[in-house]
């Protein structure tokens, strides 16, 4: 697949703000590939465009994450229709999950969903994410769960997805994978980074055995210290650093 999109023509149809958002979302896809969290052409990240229309950007279905650029992102409405002409398709399961959250949560500007080995492994476990590492204790109060219902193609599941996530920022889709939401790509990325790190630590600790359990007091103290970790601005140091890393290793995401 080698569809070419005229970047200058696209820029003439959108606002400068949207182009900046496209850069952030394209960077998010590239970083997911860089950290080895991609799953061929599957999983998805979306970013809402400000405005009453609830339009959002999502990946062009069929491109590897390390191929995605700012201009190739697909702009769709809450019914899954392309708002700007595009040669690309949209993953129908991605549309179901992301349209549900975008329509219900104004603060969930970015929705990021993964199928990593460790994230899926924890999603399969009956007790889910355990508060056994510093990272997992920090994010534990921010995690919600949704039971598996099959491939996310039934739009009636959207109501249950929204009900289950409530006001949380991290989501374990049981027997499926992980999800993070944030007011910016940076916050959503940092959320999924912590969730994935916590899942990896848990799987490795369980494989090694003889786990040292922290005290209930330590767990509560750490959880209390996590208040506000998804507030706007919490990505002000890490996100620019990640973009600098990407500029060194994969700068063509800006095309």
């Amino acid at each position: 697949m080698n569809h070419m999109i005229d970047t200058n023509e696209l820029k003439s149809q959108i606002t400068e703000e949207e182009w900046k958002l496209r850069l952030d979302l394209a960077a998010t896809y590239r970083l997911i590939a860089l950290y080895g969290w991609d799953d061929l052409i599957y999983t998805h990240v979306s970013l809402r465009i400000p405005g009453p229309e609830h339009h959002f950007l999502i990946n062009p279905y069929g491109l590897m994450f390390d191929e995605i650029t700012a201009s190739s992102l697909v702009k769709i409405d809450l019914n899954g229709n392309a708002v700007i002409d595009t040669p690309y398709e949209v993953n129908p399961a991605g549309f179901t999950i992301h349209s549900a959250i975008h329509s219900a949560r104004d603060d969930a500007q970015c929705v990021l969903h993964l199928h990593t080995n460790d994230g899926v492994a924890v999603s399969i476990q009956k007790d889910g994410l355990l508060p056994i590492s510093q990272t997992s204790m920090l994010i534990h109060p921010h995690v919600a769960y949704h039971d598996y219902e099959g491939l996310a193609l039934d739009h009636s599941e959207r109501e249950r997805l929204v009900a289950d996530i409530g006001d949380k920022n991290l989501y374990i889709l049981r027997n499926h994978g992980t999800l993070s939401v944030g007011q910016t790509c940076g916050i959503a990325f940092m959320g999924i980074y912590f969730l994935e790190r916590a899942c990896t630590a848990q799987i490795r600790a369980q494989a090694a055995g003889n786990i040292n359990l922290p005290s209930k007091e330590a767990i509560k103290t750490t959880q209390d210290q996590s208040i506000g970790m998804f507030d706007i601005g919490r990505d002000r140091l890490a996100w620019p650093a990640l973009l600098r890393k990407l500029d060194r290793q994969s700068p063509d995401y800006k095309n």
Side-chain angles (χ1 to χ4, degrees):
M1 183 179 293
N2 186 28
H3 298 303
M4 296 296 293
I5 292 178
D6 188 317
T7 301
N8 290 328
E9 182 179 346
L10 174 64
K11 284 185 173 181
S12 71
Q13 301 177 61
I14 64 175
T15 63
E16 184 177 345
E17 180 181 20
E18 179 177 330
W19 181 249
K20 291 178 179 178
L21 293 174
R22 283 174 172 269
L23 290 173
D24 270 356
L25 184 56
T28 304
Y29 277 104
R30 294 298 186 96
L31 287 165
I32 288 171
L34 193 62
Y35 279 86
W37 297 338
D38 46 348
D39 180 17
L40 294 181
I41 62 170
Y42 307 106
T43 78
H44 12 81
V45 191
S46 61
L47 181 62
R48 183 179 166 187
I49 302 298
E53 301 89 355
H54 281 78
H55 292 161
F56 61 95
L57 301 167
I58 199 165
N59 57 308
Y61 196 29
L63 292 189
M64 300 291 284
F65 283 13
D66 63 0
E67 296 179 296
I68 291 174
T69 63
S71 58
S72 69
L73 293 163
V74 182
K75 185 178 180 180
I76 61 176
D77 61 23
L78 287 176
N79 294 315
N81 301 312
V83 177
I84 296 177
D85 286 342
T86 175
Y88 299 108
E89 302 176 31
V90 171
N91 184 333
F95 167 73
T96 300
I97 294 170
H98 292 249
S99 63
I101 299 173
H102 281 300
S103 64
R105 291 270 301 269
D106 284 340
D107 64 313
Q109 301 294 315
C110 182
V111 180
L112 195 165
H113 171 46
L114 300 179
H115 300 153
T116 65
N117 291 337
D118 294 332
V120 172
V122 169
S123 79
I124 293 169
Q125 296 187 349
K126 187 70 175 177
D127 293 330
L129 185 68
L130 304 173
I132 55 176
S133 67
Q134 175 172 273
T135 306
S136 64
M137 286 183 275
L138 279 169
I139 65 174
H140 208 258
H142 305 279
V143 179
Y145 293 83
H146 175 68
D147 287 336
Y148 188 69
E149 299 186 21
L151 294 177
L153 301 175
D154 183 353
H155 289 183
S156 70
E157 186 178 354
R158 290 190 289 190
E159 294 181 6
R160 295 182 290 280
L161 279 162
V162 168
D164 286 341
I165 195 171
D167 61 354
K168 306 290 187 182
N169 285 76
L170 301 175
Y171 214 175
I172 291 179
L173 304 170
R174 291 195 180 275
N175 310 91
H176 181 176
T178 56
L179 187 145
S180 172
V181 304
Q183 297 181 64
T184 64
C185 285
I187 291 173
F189 187 87
M190 295 307 300
I192 208 73
Y193 176 83
F194 290 131
L195 180 53
E196 290 296 330
R197 292 275 290 183
C199 288
T200 296
Q202 178 169 318
I203 295 302
R204 292 187 180 185
Q206 289 170 326
N210 197 26
I211 295 173
N212 178 66
L213 297 175
S215 68
K216 291 181 179 179
E217 293 76 17
I219 293 173
K220 184 179 185 308
T221 295
T222 309
Q223 291 179 344
D224 289 345
Q225 291 169 333
S226 75
I227 294 173
M229 70 179 297
F230 291 96
D231 289 350
I232 195 75
R234 286 303 180 106
D235 58 342
R236 66 183 179 84
L237 295 178
W239 184 244
L242 286 163
L243 294 182
R244 292 194 301 273
K245 180 185 183 74
L246 198 59
D247 285 343
R248 292 191 298 271
Q249 300 190 26
S250 188
D252 63 320
Y253 76 92
K254 296 179 178 180
N255 294 343

